[in-house]
């Protein structure tokens, strides 16, 4: 269910931003859901599956390969085993760095694959080819936007941390007062750990509600902002291609 919601929402958001740029009109939430419920949403899932599954399998195999030198311990030689351990540690660090680089590149490319699929209504393979072509032909522009978004992401992360700290403090106050009152009332009738349990039963749900709901909402706003920026970037890159060809 959450997978369906994710891809429908992503498709809807891309189309809403693209439609607003084309027409200047603001669509309703219901209209946005209708725009998201389409074949393009399923194609986004297939694109992620087609790209992600081989990468996951490949890195699992590389990780197993990195562990292979540990088999030198089976020779009974401590020196050979120690060398094998050092080689394994080196390979693991290398593969971790490789995974980070690949993840950054693939994440960037995926933004263009998805928008090629939704905005230009292309198939799975065609979307991958189209998105890769746009990134390759306008690598400088895309790289600059990526660097800008990295800076914006760091700023948003710091702001989110501050917001979460404030929410924790607020949640402690809003949950602590009713939890203390409930525990105090329970202590009038019961002894032992039961009043503490009553206070926890009352306070923990309030604490989680006050903390989780605003945090999820804030995270959603950030994701909407990022998606909108990359949709506008895709449109600009495509416009540059059209201007160059003309």
């Amino acid at each position: 269910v959450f997978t369906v919601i994710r891809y429908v929402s992503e498709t809807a958001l891309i189309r809403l931003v693209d439609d607003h740029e084309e027409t200047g009109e603001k669509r309703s939430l219901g209209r946005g859901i209708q725009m998201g419920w389409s074949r393009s949403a399923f194609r986004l899932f297939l694109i992620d599956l087609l790209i992600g599954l081989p990468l996951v399998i490949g890195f699992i195999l590389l990780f197993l390969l990195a562990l292979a030198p540990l088999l030198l311990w089976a020779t009974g030689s401590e020196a050979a085993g120690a060398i094998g351990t050092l080689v394994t540690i080196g390979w693991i660090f290398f593969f971790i760095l490789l995974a980070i680089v690949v993840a950054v590149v693939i994440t960037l490319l995926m933004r263009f694959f998805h928008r090629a699929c939704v905005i230009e209504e292309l198939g799975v393979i065609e979307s991958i080819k189209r998105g890769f072509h746009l990134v390759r032909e306008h690598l400088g522009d895309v790289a600059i936007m990526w660097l800008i978004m990295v800076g914006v992401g760091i700023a948003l992360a710091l702001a989110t941390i501050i917001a979460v700290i404030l929410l924790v403090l607020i949640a402690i106050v809003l949950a602590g007062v009713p939890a203390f009152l409930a525990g105090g009332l329970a202590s009038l009738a019961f002894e032992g750990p039961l009043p503490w349990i009553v206070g926890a039963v009352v306070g923990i749900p309030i604490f989680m509600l006050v903390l989780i709901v605003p945090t999820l909402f804030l995270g959603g706003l950030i994701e909407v902002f990022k998606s909108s920026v990359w949709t506008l970037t895709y449109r600009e890159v495509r416009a540059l291609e059209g201007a160059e060809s003309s």
Side-chain angles (χ1 to χ4, degrees), residues 43-215:
R43 288 171 182 161
L44 294 188
F45 168 75
L46 292 180
I47 290 172
D48 288 353
L49 186 65
L50 182 62
I51 301 291
L53 186 59
L55 286 176
V56 171
I57 294 174
F59 274 102
I60 289 175
L61 294 177
L62 289 176
F63 181 75
L64 294 176
L65 179 63
L67 296 179
L70 294 178
L71 295 175
L72 292 174
W73 284 103
T75 62
S77 172
E78 292 186 1
I83 293 174
T85 301
L86 292 176
V87 172
T88 294
I89 293 173
W91 276 115
I92 288 177
F93 274 110
F94 172 74
F95 288 146
I96 289 175
L97 292 176
L98 180 62
I100 293 174
V101 172
V102 171
V104 170
V105 173
I106 292 299
T107 300
L108 178 60
L109 289 173
M110 280 292 194
R111 298 187 185 279
F112 283 81
F113 297 164
H114 285 190
R115 280 149 187 82
C117 177
V118 175
I119 295 176
E120 302 190 32
E121 298 185 352
L122 300 176
V124 174
I125 303 300
E126 292 78 7
S127 298
I128 295 174
K129 291 180 179 178
R130 174 63 171 161
F132 184 79
H133 171 76
L134 286 175
V135 173
R136 184 187 62 187
E137 294 298 320
H138 303 275
L139 185 59
D141 298 317
V142 174
I144 291 173
M145 178 54 66
W146 178 78
L147 289 173
I148 292 173
M149 290 304 294
V150 168
V152 172
I154 294 173
L156 289 175
L158 293 175
T160 301
I161 292 173
I162 296 174
V164 170
I165 293 174
L166 293 176
L167 285 173
V168 169
L169 296 176
I170 295 173
I172 290 175
V173 174
L174 295 180
V177 172
F180 178 77
L181 292 176
L185 291 175
S187 65
L188 298 176
F190 304 100
E191 297 181 354
L194 186 59
W196 293 96
I197 295 174
V198 172
V201 169
V202 173
I204 290 177
I206 298 175
F207 178 86
M208 299 300 292
L209 183 65
V210 173
L211 179 62
I212 291 177
V213 173
T215 301

